């Protein structure tokens, strides 16, 4: 008798496809309505998968990171840092770059 496929694997594969489609639409910075709508679909699907116990937060993050790397060619956090720069770190509460005095930080940026 053939075995039924593992439902969690099917859910994870579908979630990976949804995330891949989302990132294929871009990164959402342009405010695209299509991107916002698809992001809502992805969020709803991942919440459903988590509530049913078919995937956990670690699965979700692994799938998101893999899709991001595949579509954009760089890790999510690396891309965020490259695009948003040092100001975004402060917004996220990451103050390590501000430990050095301002004159040292500005000296490092000079050509």
């Amino acid at each position: 008798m053939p075995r039924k496929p593992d439902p969690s694997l099917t859910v994870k594969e579908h979630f990976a496809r949804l995330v891949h489609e989302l990132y294929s639409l871009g990164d959402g910075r342009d405010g695209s309505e299509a991107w916002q709508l698809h992001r809502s679909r992805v969020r709803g699907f991942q919440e459903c998968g988590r509530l049913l116990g078919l995937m956990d937060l670690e699965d979700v993050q692994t799938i998101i990171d893999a899709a991001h790397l595949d579509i954009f060619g760089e890790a999510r956090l690396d891309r965020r840092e490259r695009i948003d720069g040092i100001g975004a770190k402060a917004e996220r509460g990451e103050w390590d770059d501000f430990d050095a005095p301002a004159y040292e930080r500005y000296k490092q940026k000079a050509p």
Side-chain angles (χ1 to χ4, degrees):
M1 181 182 323
R3 279 186 355 181
K4 287 185 177 181
D6 179 6
S8 69
L9 183 60
T10 305
V11 167
K12 291 174 191 173
E13 288 173 348
H14 186 69
F15 180 67
R17 188 172 35 244
L18 287 174
V19 173
H20 201 275
E21 290 169 2
L22 176 67
Y23 284 140
S24 294
L25 294 173
D27 62 6
R29 292 175 188 270
D30 63 356
S32 159
E33 190 173 325
W35 192 90
Q36 300 294 332
L37 179 65
H38 199 73
R39 180 182 66 174
S40 295
R41 184 174 295 126
V42 169
R43 285 181 173 174
F45 192 87
Q46 72 93 16
E47 188 65 25
C48 181
R50 288 180 47 230
L51 285 173
L52 293 173
L54 299 173
M55 58 185 181
D56 58 23
L57 281 175
E58 188 176 319
D59 296 328
V60 169
Q61 194 60 60
T62 300
I63 291 168
I64 289 172
D65 290 342
H68 190 282
L69 186 62
D70 185 45
I71 295 293
F72 295 113
E74 61 185 324
R76 279 181 334 102
L77 297 178
D78 293 342
R79 185 166 189 271
R80 181 185 298 162
E81 184 59 34
R82 180 180 57 77
I83 292 173
D84 294 340
I86 198 166
K89 281 186 161 185
E91 289 175 16
R92 291 191 305 267
E94 298 174 18
W95 296 97
D96 294 344
D97 286 346
F98 298 99
D99 287 344
Y103 68 89
E104 287 182 8
R105 292 193 312 265
Y106 290 114
K107 190 179 352 178
Q108 292 171 357
K109 289 183 182 181

